[in-house]
Amino acid sequence: MVKRLALLAIIAALAVSLAPTFLSGDAAPVVAQEVDCGTEEEVTINFIAGSVGNEGDAANAQIAQFMEACPNVTVALSARPDSTTEGLALYLQFFEAESSDVDVYQFDVIHSGVFAEHLIDLAEYIDQEVIDSHFDAIILNNTVDGRLVGLPWFTDAGLLYYRTDLLEKYGYEGPPVTWEELEEMAATIQEGERAEGNADFWGFVWQGNAYEGLTCDALEWQESSGGGVIITPEGVVDVNNEAAIDIFDRAAGWVGTISPEGVISFMEEDARSVWQAGNAAFMRNWPYAYSLGKAEDSTIADVFDVSALPGGEEGESAATLGGWQLGVSAYSENPEAAAAFVNFIASEEGQKFRAINHSYLATIETVYSDEEVLEAVPFFGPLFDVFTNAVARPSTVSGTQYPEVSELYYTAVHNVLTGETDAETALADLEGQLIDLGFEAPEME
Ligand code: GLC
């Protein structure tokens, strides 16, 4: 009982009530398909979801569509913490208490292994044809011991946002293809813009806080430089080499030069706020920032575009695979209605709505060739290969150990960024720590 009350207090504290706010042009589309509501009884489903950028608006719009089709089901939305690292800790508290206070969890692509035992097998509730319409790799990722623990809601891949007007102004023909080029272009544009009076202008903003987001950024630097993938799918530690050392030392050199000192505590929205204020030439971020940047009230709406991230050499770009799944709690008292809600919001129609209005990457291939989608988010076409070839973090091979692996990794990288240690020392130590966790030592060269 005490535990239950404590959890209720946590959820009450967190429940930033995200009232449905439809922006103009953001109206709910006509729902064409017949809707399965899961139950005819009056029930309430508690849904915990993200609120980074426009996530709350997008979720509320879909909740309103579902409740219109299923008036007997009330869906109550609570916000998870913006940091997925903190969200993990919160979800584990609910799961460990076997709490029925949350029915549906929006969970990160890296956490299927960690949460699997607390989530129902959605294959028992959702048509195989629907499951098969999603990208195979994500379905595979979400299938743990033969059970489908999450239905994909949207996928994610790291992108480079760049200012088209400033590239032109400083005589560059296109976005940088190597990290070295990015460094040079960022420094030149920053110097020029500051000389013209914008003292707040920065070359490059990204996610440098000690959290999961830094694991994503750093894996992109590392992989695109030929520096390995942290741990290979076979379980071999793959992090301590010259290429990785060089790129992490290079990134440390960005802090306080082309990137603000404060970048070492930036998460996604911190980077976006500098960028969207018009105060950065380049930004590394996920696709959600596109629709926000293109919004009517955005000052940079007509002067930016997105491309693949730079790499160590031309053509060596890497994007970290992100994305979010919908899982139904094994402790839910209304699994049928919860699964029906999940099925509705992750449907092709639902994903099309989210792509058009909020630039979330669909997990269903047909959405990428839809004309309305391509008109609203043209980058879905040319960057399709970037999305489908994104580099996974080592969460499948690490299973329940992934949070520990990631924490060791982002802590090591963060220590390099802050100058507390150099990359050579940090990566040698990290290699030892990962071997201590039970992963295989690489063969000596
Ligand atoms: C995005 C990604 C997610 C990742 C997180 C890190 O939300 O979709 O996979 O873990 O960013 O901050």
Side-chain angles (χ1 to χ4, degrees), residues 80 84 108-110 154 156 211-213 216 268 286 321-324 393:
R80 68 166 182 86
T84 186
D108 201 326
V109 67
I110 49 180
F154 63 100
D156 249 344
Y211 79 125
E212 187 64 37
C216 299
E268 284 79 0
W286 306 102
L321 175 72
W324 293 83
R393 285 160 277 174

Side-chain angles (χ1 to χ4, degrees), residues 39-90:
T39 178
E40 286 178 4
E41 286 169 32
E42 300 268 329
V43 296
T44 296
I45 296 300
N46 288 303
F47 176 30
I48 188 159
S51 60
V52 175
N54 252 350
E55 275 190 297
D57 284 340
N60 271 313
Q62 289 200 286
I63 288 171
Q65 291 160 11
F66 181 74
M67 284 173 55
E68 199 181 321
C70 300
N72 60 315
V73 184
T74 302
V75 180
L77 179 65
S78 314
R80 68 166 182 86
D82 281 358
S83 156
T84 186
T85 306
E86 284 171 30
L88 167 74
L90 177 73

Side-chain angles (χ1 to χ4, degrees), residues 278-293:
N279 287 334
F282 301 105
M283 169 176 75
R284 183 272 176 209
N285 216 324
W286 306 102
Y288 83 93
Y290 186 89
S291 75
L292 290 162

Side-chain angles (χ1 to χ4, degrees), residues 160-168 170 172 174-176 181-193 198 200-206 258-260 271 274-284 300 303-307:
L160 182 72
Y161 287 74
Y162 63 96
R163 287 280 297 273
T164 47
D165 57 337
L166 296 178
L167 256 53
E168 203 185 312
Y170 291 88
Y172 297 113
E181 261 176 52
L182 174 132
E183 228 172 72
E184 191 274 315
M185 289 164 80
T188 303
I189 300 174
Q190 180 177 308
E191 198 186 306
E193 292 303 292
N198 185 355
D200 297 329
F201 195 90
W202 291 100
F204 182 37
V205 291
W206 39 280
I258 57 168
S259 305
V274 177
W275 162 258
Q276 209 161 316
N279 287 334
F282 301 105
M283 169 176 75
R284 183 272 176 209
I300 54 159
V303 291
F304 81 90
D305 209 343
V306 283
S307 72

